[in-house]
Amino acid sequence: MNLLILNASPKKKGGASRFFSGLFRLFLPGVRKKVVSLSCQQDFQRVLELLPGMDVVCLCVPLYVDGLPSHIVEFLIQAEGCCKNHPCQFRLYVLANNGFVEGKQNRPALNMLQAWCERAEITWGGGIGIGGGVMLQVLGIIYPILIGIILLQMALSLCSIGTISGELWRSFVIQMLTWLFLNSGMLWCMARLSSAIRRERVLPNQFTRVMIPSWLFIPIADV
């Protein structure tokens, strides 16, 4: 199986879509995969040349004004012609993310991409709508740093006194469980999507979010 993961964020550096595309590749060990940026017109030709040789394409795209970023709309117009003029047989899966807390905000974007598949005669594989994408990206930066600091403290404690205190172990477990809980919806949906890709199945659209209450999301997002 040849898998192409497209980071469709218009940001050349950073961005939640880049984070999700890098994370999702970890769910597919043993699969021949390529992660390619699709951030501007300069990337179009390279991606178009790759499409005919792919079995699966996974598009990681941000939600812009309840739809797709303008450069992705332009790319899809060119990709439709490419798919009709060349023997493209890939299945399209989508990871859409937005800054709002509700993952269902991504439904219009997924519907647009499914409609494009019908028009371009490409098999629609299904998609995930992720709410609180930017917050999940930030958590993916903060928690590894916190866990890394605790691991360093453990190593220093082991070297100096030959043992690790129970307090450090508790801190490590709490940080790990907190990160897993906040990301549990996203991780579960990614696991289901990777399973569908491996089994060549169509997955019904799924919607998830960062696992914090909506009333708490707004002040944290403001910070």
Side-chain angles (χ1 to χ4, degrees), residues 5-213:
I5 301 176
L6 296 174
N7 164 33
S9 172
K11 299 177 181 178
K12 293 187 177 181
K13 293 183 178 180
S17 295
R18 182 181 298 275
F19 168 72
F20 292 125
S21 62
L23 181 63
F24 184 62
R25 67 182 300 177
L26 301 178
F27 283 79
L28 294 160
V31 176
R32 291 191 301 274
K33 50 190 174 290
K34 183 186 293 287
V35 181
V36 177
S37 176
L38 183 59
S39 62
C40 59
Q41 290 181 336
Q42 285 71 23
D43 298 325
F44 288 4
Q45 189 58 40
R46 180 189 179 193
V47 175
L48 292 173
E49 291 173 354
L50 291 172
L51 293 182
M54 292 297 159
D55 302 305
V56 176
V57 174
C58 183
L59 179 67
C60 298
V61 62
L63 185 75
Y64 274 40
V65 199
D66 282 343
L68 300 171
S70 59
H71 74 289
I72 295 302
V73 176
E74 185 178 355
F75 169 78
L76 292 175
I77 294 171
Q78 296 186 29
E80 179 185 339
C82 173
C83 291
K84 289 183 176 179
N85 295 327
H86 298 85
C88 293
Q89 301 294 328
F90 62 84
R91 300 185 309 282
L92 179 67
Y93 297 88
V94 178
L95 282 167
N97 74 90
N98 62 276
F100 307 114
V101 70
E102 300 90 355
K104 292 182 178 180
Q105 292 275 2
N106 293 283
R107 182 178 280 117
L110 296 181
N111 290 341
M112 292 175 190
L113 289 163
Q114 184 173 0
W116 176 84
C117 285
E118 295 175 4
R119 183 179 177 90
E121 300 178 357
I122 294 297
T123 301
W124 170 250
I128 299 175
I130 303 174
V134 175
M135 184 173 290
L136 288 169
Q137 177 198 6
V138 172
L139 293 175
I141 297 172
I142 292 175
Y143 273 88
I145 293 174
L146 293 176
I147 293 170
I149 291 173
I150 295 173
L151 290 174
L152 178 60
Q153 291 175 330
M154 286 180 168
L156 293 175
S157 177
L158 195 61
C159 291
S160 60
I161 62 176
T163 185
I164 299 174
S165 69
E167 183 178 350
L168 284 176
W169 278 115
R170 283 193 296 273
S171 297
F172 176 77
V173 171
I174 289 172
Q175 297 297 346
M176 285 295 299
L177 291 178
T178 302
W179 183 85
L180 288 172
F181 172 75
L182 294 173
N183 290 269
S184 57
M186 174 195 65
L187 296 174
W188 170 247
C189 288
M190 283 191 175
R192 290 193 64 192
L193 184 61
S194 64
S195 176
I197 289 175
R198 289 182 179 277
R199 299 165 65 185
E200 301 181 4
R201 298 283 182 84
V202 175
L203 183 72
N205 290 344
Q206 307 172 87
F207 300 97
T208 186
R209 55 184 280 176
V210 59
M211 292 298 160
I212 63 172

